């Protein structure tokens, strides 16, 4: 794209600089008006991914939806950028395991550790301000919890490169990371400067951040936020959070995906374990046996199958159903056992003795 530079000191002051800039802008508009729209394949697309004003719905639904989109772009030969280094902290080892090369693996750890070290040099600790007050008000309790939700935006693709802030990103490179700050406008600006033609941005609490150069598509899985900010939000991903009865449709889609992926390999692949997380697998407890059976058609699971449960779902009937399905271990998502903290977090009390 054409670019012109105006320097106030060289132009002769602010008013003359504005006059020159307006003239440049009119020329660019005239040239842009002559361009014709053309269709390009997804392989030419560089998409940036971002999250801001996150709450638990971001990690449960909105970010996984972005991750699924990211995987499709990568599969089509395009490029997807995962950003916000400060929100990899506590989950960087998961990303590093997906690195294409040892160099990329080490670079992921480098940018995260460098960020933490830079804060300590000025006497600050990243966990003192992250999660933010807004994140906490929305229900996110720890930085690790926030990071685990953040990295869902990268889907499940291999990470092929790590770029410095705003550096030009190569096209047709699959999933890459850009070392950006957690500040939303700065992160989005860096990805756009690096070549992203579009940004997909999830928000749980509601963030109006946009960009003057590239379109920013907003997605939320918080139905309250969508209801209040329809002018700002493009996609409502709250369907499963609002309508758990649609779980069967999702389970059917998951089964198709399992067979599609598993059918691409010859023989059964061995894996250590299988884990159903997110706090809501009990909604599909009656289908887990079918899902586990489908996975076992393509994979050998050597060390057991785990499920995360909400405390309210730890009942004899649910546990019997899970055991019959083949589940061998459970984890229980409890933010706190103390009443005063449960009240602050908006959580109901937990009956430990009943569990």
């Amino acid at each position: 794209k054409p670019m012109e530079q105006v320097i106030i000191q060289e132009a002769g002051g602010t008013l003359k600089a504005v006059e020159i800039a307006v003239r440049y802008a009119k020329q660019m508009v005239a040239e842009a008006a002559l361009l014709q729209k053309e269709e390009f394949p997804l392989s030419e697309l560089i998409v940036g991914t971002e999250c801001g004003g996150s709450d638990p719905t971001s990690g449960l639904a909105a970010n996984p939806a972005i991750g699924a989109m990211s995987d499709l772009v990568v599969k089509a030969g395009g490029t997807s950028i995962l950003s916000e280094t400060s929100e990899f902290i506590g989950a960087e080892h998961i990303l590093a395991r997906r690195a294409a090369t040892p160099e990329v693996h080490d670079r992921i750890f480098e940018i995260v550790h460098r960020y933490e070290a830079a804060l300590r040099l000025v006497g600050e600790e990243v966990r003192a301000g992250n999660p933010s007050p807004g994140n906490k008000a929305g229900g996110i309790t720890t930085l690790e919890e926030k990071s685990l939700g953040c990295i869902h935006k990268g889907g499940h693709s291999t990470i092929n490169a790590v770029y410095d802030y705003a550096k030009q990103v190569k096209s047709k490179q699959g999933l890459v990371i850009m070392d950006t700050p957690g500040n939303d406008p700065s992160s989005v600006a860096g990805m756009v400067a690096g070549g992203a033609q579009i940004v997909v941005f999830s928000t749980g609490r509601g963030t109006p951040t946009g960009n003057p150069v590239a379109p920013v598509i907003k997605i939320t899985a918080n139905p309250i936020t969508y209801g209040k900010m329809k002018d700002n939000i493009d996609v409502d991903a709250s369907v499963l959070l609002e309508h758990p009865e649609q779980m069967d449709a999702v389970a059917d889609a998951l089964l198709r995906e399992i067979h599609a992926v598993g059918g691409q390999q010859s023989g059964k692949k061995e894996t250590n374990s299988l884990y159903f997380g997110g706090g809501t697998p009990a909604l599909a407890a009656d289908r887990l046996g079918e899902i586990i059976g489908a996975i076992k058609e393509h994979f050998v699971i050597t060390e057991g199958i785990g499920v995360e449960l909400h405390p309210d779902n730890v009942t004899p009937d649910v546990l019997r159903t899970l055991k019959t399905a083949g589940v061998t271990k459970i984890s229980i998502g409890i933010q706190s056992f103390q009443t005063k903290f449960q009240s602050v977090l908006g959580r109901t009390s937990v009956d430990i003795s009943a569990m």
Side-chain angles (χ1 to χ4, degrees), residues 140-152:
I140 292 177
T141 60
T142 66
L143 178 56
E144 287 78 9
E145 181 183 343
K146 183 177 179 180
S147 295
L148 289 169
C150 171
I151 66 173
H152 275 305

Side-chain angles (χ1 to χ4, degrees), residues 234-262:
D234 302 290
V235 179
D236 177 11
S238 66
V239 58
L240 281 182
L241 302 178
E242 285 191 289
H243 303 289
E245 70 276 6
Q246 295 192 20
M247 184 60 72
D248 274 339
V250 175
D252 289 337
L254 178 58
L255 287 169
R256 290 193 296 271
E257 181 71 9
I258 290 168
H259 288 305
V261 173

Side-chain angles (χ1 to χ4, degrees), residues 243-316:
H243 303 289
E245 70 276 6
Q246 295 192 20
M247 184 60 72
D248 274 339
V250 175
D252 289 337
L254 178 58
L255 287 169
R256 290 193 296 271
E257 181 71 9
I258 290 168
H259 288 305
V261 173
Q264 295 175 10
Q265 59 190 26
S266 57
K268 290 188 177 182
K269 185 175 181 179
E270 186 174 294
T271 184
N272 289 338
S273 61
L274 172 64
Y275 182 70
F276 297 88
T280 54
L283 292 174
D286 293 336
R287 300 291 301 274
L288 278 183
E290 186 180 356
I291 293 170
I292 291 170
I295 292 173
K296 286 184 173 180
E297 289 184 32
H298 307 286
F299 296 88
V300 176
I301 303 167
T302 61
E303 296 181 14
I305 300 170
V307 170
E308 180 183 1
L309 293 178
H310 186 281
D312 292 346
N313 296 131
V314 184
T315 65

Side-chain angles (χ1 to χ4, degrees), residues 85 103 105-115 164:
T85 303
E103 291 75 19
H105 172 279
D106 294 345
R107 184 90 166 96
I108 292 171
F109 281 112
E110 177 196 338
I111 62 174
V112 172
H113 295 166
R114 186 182 65 206
Y115 182 85
D164 289 334

Side-chain angles (χ1 to χ4, degrees), residues 41-53:
L42 272 176
S43 59
E44 298 293 332
L45 184 66
I46 300 176
V47 58
T49 65
E50 181 77 12
C51 56

Side-chain angles (χ1 to χ4, degrees), residues 146-210:
K146 183 177 179 180
S147 295
L148 289 169
C150 171
I151 66 173
H152 275 305
K153 301 194 304 294
H156 300 89
S157 302
T158 298
I159 299 170
N160 295 311
V162 177
Y163 284 89
D164 289 334
Y165 180 75
K167 294 297 183 182
Q168 185 63 50
V169 175
K170 295 179 181 178
S171 61
K172 303 179 182 179
Q173 200 172 19
L175 178 63
V176 301
I177 285 173
M178 180 175 283
D179 182 12
T180 75
N183 177 272
D184 299 329
S186 300
S187 182
V188 170
M191 289 188 287
V192 173
Q197 300 110 334
I198 193 167
V199 176
V200 183
F201 190 131
S202 72
T203 180
R205 303 271 293 165
T207 302
T209 300

Side-chain angles (χ1 to χ4, degrees), residues 4 28 35 39 79 191 303 315 346:
E4 299 289 352
M28 290 179 179
L35 297 176
E39 288 191 3
T79 303
M191 289 188 287
E303 296 181 14
T315 65

